[in-house]
Amino acid sequence: MEPLIHYAPYAGWVYPNETVIEWSVAIVVYPYITGLVAGAFTVSSLYQVFGFERLKPVAHLALLTSLCFMLFVPLPLLLHLGHPERAFNNLLTPHWTSAMAAFGYFATFYIVLLIVETWFAFRPYIVAQAQKRKGPLGAFYRVLTLGSYDVSEGALRVDRKWIFWLAIAGIPGAHGLHGYVGFVFGSLKSREWWSSDLMPLVFLFSAIISGVALLIVLYVLSCKLRRVPIDLACVKGLAYTVWAFIIVAFVLEGLEFANIVYKAREGIEMIMAYVTGPLLIPYFVLQFGIGAIVPLAWLSYMIWRGTAGRALVLGVTLSACLVLLSVFMMRWNVVIGGQEISKTGKGLLEYPMQIFGKEGLISALALVVAPLVVLLGITRLLPPWEHKTAS
Amino acid sequence: MKREAISGLLARRHFLRKLGAAAVAAGTAASLAKVGAKTESVTPPKSFPTADYDWTKHRWAFGVDATKCIGCLRCVEACKVENKVPLTAHHFRTWVERYVYLEGEARPRIDSHADPVNIAASGSQREYRFANRYQNAKVEKAFFVPKLCNQCEHPPCVQVCPVGATYKAKDGVVLIDHEYCIGCRYCVQACPYGARFFDEEKGVSDKCTWCYHRITSGLQPACVDACPVGARVFGDLNDKQSAISLFVRNNRVHVLKPETGNGPNVFYVGIDKEVS
């Protein structure tokens, strides 16, 4: 049986109660998948609201991806709670001074919005299947129609209007959901590594790049699996999007770090010892170097040279994989990094990641993979590559 | 005439419908307010938590005279026993820090009884002792600093609790409703003093309450009672002649990390610039 406490080895002076790192890899995964939700929704909105026609082939995939990841957002939190059965206290009696209090409402609102938007987006397909299919699957689609079989041009116009307004409402919803995650950390004055006004923005922009990067990977992978040609204009559109947002995310993250170093408040010596020591590889090499600078340079080169064809797809997909790694490392470096620097400013801890257990590595991996499995299932029922949809 | 009667009837129906909706809304609001009461501090009953205790009549505070502390750690032991604190080196409602300046070193060496070297010296996590690790070194200055929850005026732990399970009582003590805490540990993160810990067995956060069950019965906190040298002072600031009132009045007192704006209510005498 797993021991109840996993205490963290430390060097220097740390408060005795700090020697258990309370927010584990599950809390790293939580903002990661929330970010993927927000980022994927951004792609969907770029098409639905801002009319980026190039992104049409991935618009519905983006919506489904957002929905699938959103379904799993509460899970790492539930795994983490000491009393998960009391989780609904958060909805019943929110304590409004807490940055966490609004989570339940935000998440519920956003899940409902995603479900409704998905329903409108896939309604013509659902109706067609309900009329065509027999047996349990036919019944399933008939239930999904909610009794509405009208797919006339007038009805579809109404659907498109709904999708447009839901997407508009979803933009602040998705970005608010994720910006607030940044606020959960940034608003704490107990840790210098977290306490930053830029934190919500840093979270938000890294979320956007992670979502776009995920869609690049999923789109290319889905085309390969379905053996259909990849829409190069779409890949290019996604590459431009991720390229532009990487610059913003990179500047914001750089500014945040520069602020900490330049202000040099109490405990800065320990922070510097940390970032140049244990955090050197996760922070400078993985998050900034390999995860941000390499894809930025690679994408810039491809845009400059006008790379096309296979090389473009390969370059953009690999860059997207690196961006996904970078954003995961950013979450890790914030959540775990913040706790590895002692509140005393005079010591460093070392997070002892567990392999098994509800907050271990295997659970964390499962939490990231599970939405993809659900996505695979949902794309069988509601294929996002069918263009005969409402929009 | 008939048309008028019908329109009158419709108007009345309309009015009744509105009235019904208003009643439903009022009922919902009332029930929400009832549930929402938990978001504020516990509604002050006339006496809480014992029949003869009125929390509006007290303003508790704590003093620590670091010049008196001898690092015997009886306070830590008393606290662990009194409050059934998990007997590990990672869970403390109160602890004692040791600051030692060695000759030729600019910064002090700091440790607590929870340090592995000190645990090795005592032989157990359940025995509290400071190892004599500096006996062969030239010590320029050394002192002990007892630590505990500061029961802040503006407690960040209360601010961040998403369900209102932790709250500030009228008498100034920050309490936790263990029946309501969801175990998210946001409060543990928010406390800049490391005063809170997570009780893995109970699945809830915990911290020092100045022995609330004792002080509301007219007793002193267990650590204060156990201290053999009077380094810990406790009392009611509303009583001008109480030990704590005299302590605060007769000394130039410090608080820890004043820049956080938390307004700590543990007042220190004899601490050094390196203590935070």
Side-chain angles (χ1 to χ4, degrees):
Chain A
M1 196 184 145
E2 283 267 305
L4 209 52
I5 309 160
H6 304 284
Y7 66 88
Y10 62 91
W13 163 237
V14 306
Y15 295 128
N17 288 337
E18 274 189 296
T19 52
V20 180
I21 297 224
E22 294 297 353
W23 283 359
S24 65
V25 68
I27 305 301
V28 175
V29 166
Y30 161 66
Y32 189 58
I33 58 177
T34 320
L36 294 172
V37 170
F41 192 82
T42 306
V43 175
S44 152
S45 303
L46 283 174
Y47 168 71
Q48 307 284 12
V49 179
F50 301 105
F52 278 41
E53 281 297 322
R54 279 180 172 202
L55 304 184
K56 189 174 181 180
V58 289
H60 286 103
L61 177 64
L63 201 56
L64 289 184
T65 307
S66 199
L67 177 64
C68 290
F69 275 90
M70 192 60 215
L71 294 175
F72 285 88
V73 160
L75 204 54
L77 296 181
L78 288 173
L79 284 174
H80 171 71
L81 291 185
H83 280 280
E85 79 283 4
R86 296 179 189 167
F88 278 104
N89 289 1
N90 199 16
L91 280 170
L92 297 172
T93 62
H95 184 234
W96 291 115
T97 61
S98 170
M100 267 188 198
F103 169 74
Y105 293 105
F106 254 127
T108 312
F109 163 77
Y110 192 59
I111 287 180
V112 171
L113 184 140
L114 277 172
I115 291 173
V116 176
E117 191 177 335
T118 307
W119 183 75
F120 274 113
F122 285 92
R123 211 176 63 80
Y125 180 81
I126 293 168
V127 171
Q129 296 302 310
Q131 286 166 339
K132 195 168 75 183
R133 286 183 188 271
K134 303 259 178 289
L137 206 56
F140 169 75
Y141 283 112
R142 278 190 286 282
V143 170
L144 275 192
T145 60
L146 302 180
S148 165
Y149 286 86
D150 185 0
V151 283
S152 63
E153 190 43 46
L156 289 184
R157 206 177 313 122
V158 173
D159 285 3
R160 276 196 289 273
K161 218 177 249 180
W162 268 98
I163 291 169
F164 178 78
W165 287 108
L166 284 168
I168 282 190
I171 296 169
H175 296 172
L177 181 77
H178 200 70
Y180 123 89
V181 176
F183 188 75
V184 163
F185 293 96
S187 61
L188 286 190
K189 52 193 170 186
S190 57
R191 295 190 188 279
E192 185 67 3
W193 192 243
W194 287 351
S195 179
S196 163
D197 301 340
L198 285 174
M199 201 59 104
L201 285 174
V202 166
F203 266 73
L204 195 51
F205 281 94
S206 57
I208 293 172
I209 58 172
S210 70
V212 182
L214 177 68
L215 274 181
I216 292 171
V217 177
L218 288 179
Y219 175 64
V220 171
L221 205 65
S222 67
C223 289
K224 292 275 171 206
L225 287 175
R226 291 180 300 128
R227 299 207 176 110
V228 295
I230 296 166
D231 185 333
L232 284 181
C234 176
V235 172
K236 221 171 197 175
L238 288 169
Y240 284 145
T241 313
V242 82
W243 178 82
F245 282 116
I246 284 181
I247 295 173
V248 183
F250 188 66
V251 167
L252 283 172
E253 281 168 34
L255 269 177
E256 192 191 51
F257 182 63
N259 256 301
I260 293 175
V261 176
Y262 199 79
K263 284 178 183 164
R265 287 191 281 236
E266 206 177 338
I268 185 66
E269 291 94 343
M270 201 41 70
I271 290 179
M272 291 314 288
Y274 182 57
V275 293
T276 52
L279 213 59
L280 186 70
I281 290 177
Y283 192 57
F284 288 115
V285 177
L286 295 178
Q287 184 186 331
F288 279 111
I290 296 174
I293 294 172
V294 170
L296 186 62
W298 199 349
L299 289 171
S300 304
Y301 177 80
M302 287 190 293
I303 291 167
W304 171 51
R305 301 294 298 175
T307 310
R310 222 179 121 78
L312 176 80
V313 173
L314 191 71
V316 171
T317 311
L318 286 177
S319 296
C321 291
L322 293 178
V323 167
L324 284 170
L325 167 77
S326 171
V327 176
F328 182 82
M329 288 319 298
M330 180 262 169
R331 308 298 192 238
W332 175 278
N333 293 333
V334 169
V335 178
I336 302 298
Q339 296 174 91
E340 285 189 331
I341 304 169
S342 169
K343 289 172 182 171
T344 62
K346 296 180 173 76
L348 293 177
L349 296 118
E350 195 184 310
Y351 169 55
M353 186 164 60
Q354 302 308 300
I355 305 296
F356 305 102
K358 63 188 177 110
E359 290 190 70
L361 178 66
I362 293 172
S363 292
L365 283 174
L367 281 170
V368 178
V369 173
L372 296 171
V373 176
V374 174
L375 181 65
L376 192 69
I378 283 194
T379 52
R380 296 283 165 94
L381 294 170
L382 302 171
W385 8 90
E386 288 280 337
H387 295 310
K388 285 178 223 147
T389 45
S391 52
Chain B
M1 187 67 193
K2 201 176 172 188
R3 188 175 289 173
E4 268 176 25
I6 289 170
S7 70
L9 197 66
L10 282 176
R12 200 169 63 198
R13 269 191 198 159
H14 188 63
F15 172 74
L16 283 174
R17 208 171 288 151
K18 266 191 174 171
L19 201 68
V24 169
T28 313
S31 59
L32 271 179
K34 211 172 179 182
V35 179
K38 195 83 193 178
T39 65
E40 291 176 6
S41 59
V42 170
T43 319
K46 279 195 177 132
S47 56
F48 179 85
T50 53
D52 50 357
Y53 179 73
D54 184 348
W55 67 1
T56 61
K57 297 255 160 54
H58 302 277
R59 193 154 60 94
W60 301 117
F62 204 104
V64 173
D65 189 344
T67 61
K68 287 184 179 169
C69 180
I70 55 172
C72 69
L73 301 168
R74 282 190 185 184
C75 51
V76 175
E77 195 171 356
C79 174
K80 285 260 189 181
V81 173
E82 178 70 31
N83 296 297
K84 299 181 182 63
V85 180
L87 296 170
T88 76
H90 316 285
H91 305 81
F92 292 98
R93 284 184 169 209
T94 186
W95 68 95
V96 178
E97 299 171 359
R98 172 168 66 175
Y99 291 74
V100 179
Y101 287 81
L102 296 182
E103 205 175 79
E105 291 185 0
R107 286 281 174 87
R109 296 187 179 207
I110 313 168
D111 66 352
S112 77
H113 42 86
D115 188 282
V117 173
N118 296 329
I119 290 171
S122 73
S124 162
Q125 288 188 56
R126 300 169 179 216
E127 304 278 329
Y128 313 103
R129 191 173 303 162
F130 278 107
N132 195 4
R133 61 205 286 186
Y134 303 113
Q135 58 182 340
N136 298 322
K138 288 198 171 171
V139 175
E140 276 187 345
K141 178 165 78 170
F143 54 90
F144 295 102
V145 180
K147 292 275 186 83
L148 63 162
C149 172
N150 286 284
Q151 321 289 354
C152 301
E153 215 49 46
H154 308 291
C157 53
V158 170
Q159 185 186 32
V160 302
C161 177
V163 297
T166 186
Y167 55 94
K168 193 162 172 64
K170 299 277 182 205
D171 50 19
V173 183
V174 175
L175 300 171
I176 304 171
D177 184 344
H178 284 161
E179 301 298 312
Y180 209 71
C181 172
I182 59 173
C184 70
R185 294 161 248 187
Y186 200 11
C187 57
V188 180
Q189 302 290 2
C191 175
Y193 307 103
R196 284 183 173 242
F197 61 86
F198 183 68
D199 188 326
E200 287 81 3
E201 260 178 42
K202 293 181 187 152
V204 293
S205 290
D206 197 21
K207 68 166 195 74
C208 162
T209 59
W210 289 347
C211 285
Y212 203 64
H213 58 292
R214 288 172 63 90
I215 62 175
T216 51
S217 308
L219 299 170
Q220 292 276 299
C223 60
V224 177
D225 259 359
C227 181
V229 292
R232 291 174 179 250
V233 181
F234 177 79
D236 188 351
L237 286 176
N238 283 347
D239 173 3
K240 295 294 169 209
Q241 291 309 311
S242 69
I244 190 65
S245 291
L246 293 172
F247 182 83
V248 172
R249 200 154 65 233
N250 296 336
N251 291 294
R252 278 118 202 242
V253 292
H254 288 84
V255 292
L256 300 175
K257 300 188 180 180
E259 73 281 2
T260 57
N262 296 336
N265 279 310
V266 175
F267 302 100
Y268 282 87
V269 163
I271 53 171
D272 192 74
K273 66 182 174 63
E274 291 289 341
V275 179
S276 61

